[in-house]
């Protein structure tokens, strides 16, 4: 089985976000970078499938500055991925061009059985790259996947509103975007970390994959921090008095009910 | 004047609130509005879309249940036919799955999960939260003949329906499937309430609830005020509630008018999913719990004493 896993490196949620003085983006100095949490589920699922099939190759691929995203690719290789590809760029790419770059790199590399991604990157909150990638590669996609079984066909469960699940059956290559609950990602073992250092990591430039950063379809501007919340109003008294006052405030002051 | 295509979704008997909000926004901005409805009840709810502002309504009632392939083909055909240069949809499970693909097919850009939209002056301004709600940015469209915007529900006002409104209805055939992806089944969720992502009021419980049985207390409160019940990850991981109820970075992102957090400490990963709520109430016995820093109203106290009183008081106030 030939599996590709798309990885994005994102600021750790615990990291404090500060804006550049001209509000054109966030200040990247001092940010702690980690593998997008949903991508860990994608890596784990790829490794599990390879184990079940008994053979195969899991390639992890990332678009971003090589100087930092290499670390996340190596982490995935330490978990067990076989090799990696980095499309090295410090330019801003929207989801359209990111997907285009990934599609071109994968097409250059080899035919595939499956591409796994996270359902959402927690930095840009787009949940778009997997679907666009599938469109460019002319294969089906399923997102927000919480269950996957592979016999002669792939059977997949996708989570929708109200805890309902849509069930799909897929034939042939496809793009699957992982949700939490799909599996429990393994930790990289010490021998795994040692081995990962020697695994092949291919480097591509944007021109290798035919991407012009100026062709982005959307750009982000005028970054703003959320408005300061007014100080919390603490409600004193015994539980009955507190309850009574809260109901009054919600109905008369906040007018939310 | 430019045309707006609104992808309209339905619940059992009506349009989803998010769809009403988008129709209203497009109409109020003086745009020509085309609505697109796909599903078994598409035809019967077409006039309802007109009541909220659609001049023409495209319907396809033979597409069956959601399938990314057939739906993207049908929606693409509708958008092309409409001649719209703006496409709006709610940030629902279906639209978030569908529209990135449709936009790419039409060689266009998309702004997902926006919280602010301005269509006045024949321009389009959309703003979206980034980095788990730690900042927002305005989306600028370039090289994009059609601007696609997915809006979170509950961010814009829904107008009142014009019950006499008329519209043109056009039927679209369902597109045939290639067989590469087959929709097998939809397994119903346990909840009959509004989904967390659409709920206008959420009552959420954390580890302070102590066990699964105690969530009955929150069900009571939720039933009294028409809320949906959510939970922290600690609670979902403990198996007290299903994971679909989890709010936060690895759960649902919600933005209700009112969020009542009971026995939730307010970890950054939880806040990431709910800090965009308009009004936040925290009930916690620890006065130093970080949740109070994000709350509008705080009660330091034992939730097992406060919540039942709250149910009583709400019942009185709402005459139930
Ligand atoms: C990568 C990652 C992703 C995560 N994603 C999420 C996520 O999506 N959502 C999420 O919620 N968390 C998430 N977490 C976990 C998060 O860090 C916290 O551990 C979790 O939110 C804590 O849940 P809690 O507030 O219910 O429990 P606790 O932190 O244990 O807080 C319980 C609170 O209840 C109060 N309490 C106890 N008894 C009572 C009582 N009788 N009356 C009133 N108050 C009482 C206590 O004072 C305390 O403040 C994530 C963590 C990581 C590392
Ligand atoms: N720069 C990138 N490099 C590799 N994969 C990416 C990149 N951006 C997004 N992805 C993949 O697409 C998923 C969804 O991202 P997004 O559409 O940005 O929310 C992520 O979880 C990744 O698997």
């Amino acid at each position: 089985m030939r599996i590709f896993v798309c990885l994005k490196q994102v600021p750790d949620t615990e990291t404090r976000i500060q804006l550049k003085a001209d509000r054109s983006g966030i200040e990247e100095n001092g940010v702690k970078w980690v593998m997008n949490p949903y991508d860990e589920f994608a890596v784990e699922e790829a490794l599990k499938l390879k184990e079940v099939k008994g053979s195969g190759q899991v390639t992890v691929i990332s678009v971003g500055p090589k100087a930092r995203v290499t670390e996340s690719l190596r982490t995935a290789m330490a978990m067990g991925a076989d090799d990696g590809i980095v499309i090295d760029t410090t330019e801003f790419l929207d989801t359209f061009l990111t997907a285009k770059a990934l599609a071109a790199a994968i097409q250059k590399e080899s035919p595939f059985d499956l591409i796994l991604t996270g359902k959402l990157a927690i930095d840009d909150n787009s949940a778009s790259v997997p679907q666009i990638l599938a469109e460019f590669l002319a294969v089906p996609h399923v997102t927000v996947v919480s269950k996957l079984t592979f016999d002669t066909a792939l059977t997949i469960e996708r989570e929708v509103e109200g805890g309902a699940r849509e069930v799909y059956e897929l034939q042939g290559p496809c793009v699957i975007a992982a949700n939490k609950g799909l599996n429990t990602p393994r930790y990289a073992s010490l021998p795994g970390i040692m081995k990962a250092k020697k695994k092949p990591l291919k480097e591509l430039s944007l021109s290798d994959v035919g991407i012009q950063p100026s062709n982005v379809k959307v750009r982000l501007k005028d970054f703003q921090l959320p408005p300061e919340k007014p100080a919390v109003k603490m409600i004193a008294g015994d539980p009955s008095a507190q309850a009574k006052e809260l109901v009054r405030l919600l109905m008369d002051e906040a007018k939310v009910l | 004047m430019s045309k707006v295509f609104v992808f309209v979704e339905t619940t059992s008997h009506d349009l989803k609130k998010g769809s009403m909000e988008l129709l209203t926004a497009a109409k109020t901005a003086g745009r020509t509005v085309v609505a697109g409805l796909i599903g078994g009840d598409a035809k019967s709810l077409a006039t309802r879309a007109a009541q909220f502002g659609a001049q023409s309504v495209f319907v396809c009632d033979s597409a069956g249940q959601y399938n990314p392939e057939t739906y993207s083909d049908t929606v693409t055909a509708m958008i092309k036919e409409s001649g719209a240069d703006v496409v709006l949809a709610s940030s629902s499970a279906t639209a978030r799955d569908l529209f990135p693909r449709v936009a790419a097919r039409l060689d266009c850009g998309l702004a997902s999960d926006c919280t602010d939209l301005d269509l006045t002056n024949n321009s389009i301004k959309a703003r979206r939260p980034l980095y788990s709600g730690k900042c927002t940015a305005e989306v600028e469209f370039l090289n994009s003949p059609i601007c696609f915007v997915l809006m979170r529900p509950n961010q814009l006002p829904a107008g009142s329906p014009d019950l006499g409104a008329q519209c043109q209805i056009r039927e679209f055939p369902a597109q045939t499937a290639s067989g590469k992806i087959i929709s097998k089944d939809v397994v119903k969720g346990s909840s009959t309430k509004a989904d967390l992502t659409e709920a206008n009021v959420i009552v959420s419980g954390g580890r302070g609830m102590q066990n699964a049985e105690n969530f009955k207390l929150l069900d009571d409160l939720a039933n009294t005020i028409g809320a949906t019940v959510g939970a922290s990850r600690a609670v979902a991981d403990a198996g007290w509630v299903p994971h679909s109820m989890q709010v936060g970075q690895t759960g649902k992102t919600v933005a209700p008018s009112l969020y009542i957090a009971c026995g939730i400490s307010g970890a950054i990963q939880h806040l990431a999913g709910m800090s965009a709520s308009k009004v936040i109430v925290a009930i916690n016995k620890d006065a130093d719990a970080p949740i109070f820093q994000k709350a509008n109203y705080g009660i330091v106290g034992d939730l097992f004493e406060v919540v039942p009183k709250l149910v009583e008081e709400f019942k009185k106030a709402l005459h139930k």
Side-chain angles (χ1 to χ4, degrees):
Chain A
M1 251 199 125
R2 189 75 169 94
I3 306 176
F4 288 87
V5 183
C6 302
L7 295 189
K8 187 175 192 187
Q9 201 178 41
V10 298
D12 187 17
T13 340
E14 307 269 0
T15 289
R16 186 154 161 246
I17 295 294
Q18 284 175 297
L19 304 186
K20 286 188 182 148
D22 65 358
R23 294 199 278 128
S24 63
I26 65 155
E27 191 54 70
E28 296 202 351
N29 280 335
V31 165
K32 183 181 166 219
W33 298 92
V34 296
M35 189 192 304
N36 182 38
Y38 293 105
D39 302 354
E40 293 181 18
F41 303 117
V43 174
E44 175 62 32
E45 201 61 21
L47 298 175
K48 265 174 56 189
L49 278 169
K50 181 183 160 182
E51 282 159 11
V52 170
K53 291 279 149 187
S55 71
Q57 183 179 348
V58 175
T59 304
V60 285
I61 176 166
S62 187
V63 182
K66 179 180 171 234
R68 63 168 165 80
V69 303
T70 301
E71 191 194 341
S72 292
L73 289 168
R74 292 281 175 212
T75 303
M77 287 188 244
M79 288 167 76
D82 298 290
D83 59 336
I85 302 173
V86 56
I87 304 168
D88 180 26
T89 179
T90 52
E91 298 277 350
F92 166 78
L93 298 185
D94 60 359
T95 52
F96 186 90
L97 286 191
T98 302
K100 202 165 199 170
L102 289 167
I106 291 170
Q107 270 169 332
K108 257 173 119 93
E109 187 69 15
S110 92
F112 61 93
D113 298 297
L114 183 63
I115 299 174
L116 284 156
T117 72
K119 76 155 181 188
L120 169 110
I122 62 165
D123 56 351
D124 68 17
N125 185 34
S126 290
S128 303
V129 168
Q131 300 92 308
I132 303 174
L133 176 61
E135 175 67 19
F136 289 148
L137 294 169
V139 297
H141 74 259
V142 185
T143 59
V144 203
V145 169
S146 53
K147 195 171 169 200
L148 182 158
T149 42
F150 200 0
D151 285 316
T152 47
L154 261 183
T155 306
I156 282 177
E157 288 188 14
R158 160 179 147 77
E159 269 180 47
V160 293
E161 282 102 358
R165 284 162 295 139
E166 297 170 354
V167 186
Y168 295 97
E169 195 179 282
L170 288 97
Q171 291 286 353
C174 56
V175 177
I176 301 299
N179 193 16
K180 173 174 179 267
L182 181 59
N183 54 46
T184 310
R186 67 194 68 188
Y187 289 102
S189 65
L190 200 55
I193 294 169
M194 298 312 290
K195 264 204 237 156
K197 291 183 179 151
K198 299 203 191 72
K199 289 182 177 172
L201 178 63
K202 189 181 283 180
E203 190 182 329
L204 297 172
S205 68
L206 284 188
S207 55
D208 290 336
V209 287
I211 298 294
Q212 265 291 344
S214 58
N215 287 339
V216 288
K217 306 249 168 233
V218 296
R219 192 168 277 156
L220 297 168
K221 63 176 189 189
D222 187 28
F223 280 62
Q224 289 178 10
L225 296 175
E228 288 285 323
K229 270 216 165 231
V232 55
K233 216 175 238 185
M234 299 303 288
I235 302 168
D238 65 30
S240 312
Q242 286 175 319
K244 201 174 184 129
E245 176 64 359
L246 176 60
V247 171
R248 189 192 69 78
L249 287 167
L250 289 176
M251 300 192 68
D252 299 347
E253 185 179 87
K255 297 195 168 65
V256 282
L257 281 167
Chain B
M1 188 170 29
S2 84
K3 245 188 211 169
V4 177
F5 179 90
V6 181
F7 179 68
V8 171
E9 293 177 84
T10 60
T11 56
S12 33
H13 302 295
D14 204 349
L15 312 186
K16 281 195 181 172
K17 185 157 165 278
S19 301
M20 295 178 188
E21 291 163 4
L22 294 174
L23 288 167
T24 304
K27 179 190 172 195
T28 316
R31 307 286 182 112
T32 307
V33 186
V34 180
L37 281 90
I38 305 180
D41 49 7
K43 236 190 273 177
S44 59
L45 286 170
T47 8
R48 190 72 179 146
Q51 291 173 0
F52 284 93
Q55 278 107 329
S56 42
V57 182
F58 295 175
V59 298
C60 173
D61 58 5
S62 53
Q65 72 188 60
Y66 179 65
N67 179 307
E69 185 185 39
T70 52
Y71 270 55
S72 57
D73 291 348
T74 304
V75 170
T76 305
M78 285 180 172
I79 293 170
K80 279 189 179 159
E81 182 64 28
S82 74
D85 56 9
V86 172
V87 171
L88 305 177
S90 263
S91 244
S92 66
T94 294
R96 283 201 94 169
D97 186 69
L98 183 61
F99 280 96
R101 184 159 196 153
V102 170
R105 187 171 303 171
L106 294 167
D107 205 30
C108 292
L110 167 114
S112 26
D113 209 25
C114 295
T115 48
D116 222 338
L117 175 69
D118 182 359
L119 291 170
T120 53
N121 303 326
N122 253 338
S123 70
I124 181 160
K125 261 193 184 175
R127 195 164 255 291
R128 48 193 306 263
L130 301 163
Y131 303 98
S132 315
K134 287 181 198 163
C135 66
T136 63
E138 189 183 322
V139 183
E140 184 182 9
F141 288 90
L142 308 149
N143 320 310
S144 186
I146 307 172
C147 304
F148 284 75
V149 175
L150 303 184
M151 268 300 285
R152 265 192 211 167
N154 297 327
Q155 307 297 312
L156 302 165
S160 42
D162 167 7
L163 296 177
Q166 300 284 321
C167 66
Q168 280 185 316
I169 298 179
R170 272 202 48 189
E171 288 189 47
F172 279 67
Q175 306 287 318
T176 41
S178 67
K180 284 196 256 177
I181 171 164
I182 303 163
S183 302
K184 297 293 270 190
D185 198 7
V186 180
V187 185
K188 281 233 160 56
S190 46
S191 171
T192 51
K193 300 258 177 56
D195 187 67
L196 281 172
T197 53
E198 292 163 6
N200 194 38
V201 182
I202 293 174
V203 175
S204 211
R207 207 187 325 250
M209 296 302 299
Q210 289 177 0
N211 58 43
E213 289 70 49
N214 288 338
F215 267 78
K216 284 219 176 64
L217 213 58
L218 297 190
D219 288 336
D220 274 355
L221 178 55
N223 288 335
T224 310
I225 55 178
T228 300
V229 178
S232 72
R233 173 159 170 181
V235 163
D237 282 353
W240 301 349
V241 303
H243 279 288
S244 59
M245 281 169 63
Q246 183 187 319
V247 171
Q249 184 202 298
T250 41
K252 301 257 162 78
T253 302
V254 301
S257 301
L258 175 61
Y259 188 94
I260 305 182
C262 307
I264 292 178
S265 61
I268 185 134
Q269 295 90 354
H270 188 80
L271 300 177
M274 47 64 79
S275 58
S277 308
K278 285 204 189 87
V279 173
I280 296 170
V281 173
I283 303 171
N284 197 304
K285 67 176 184 192
D286 173 9
D288 294 327
I291 187 79
F292 287 121
Q293 286 160 28
K294 286 281 166 188
N296 300 76
Y297 301 110
I299 290 182
V300 177
D302 184 345
L303 72 90
F304 296 104
E305 291 176 18
V306 176
V307 174
K309 293 285 178 211
L310 209 46
V311 175
E312 263 175 46
E313 290 299 330
F314 273 126
K315 278 192 177 149
K316 271 193 240 163
L318 299 165
H319 309 293
K320 285 198 176 170

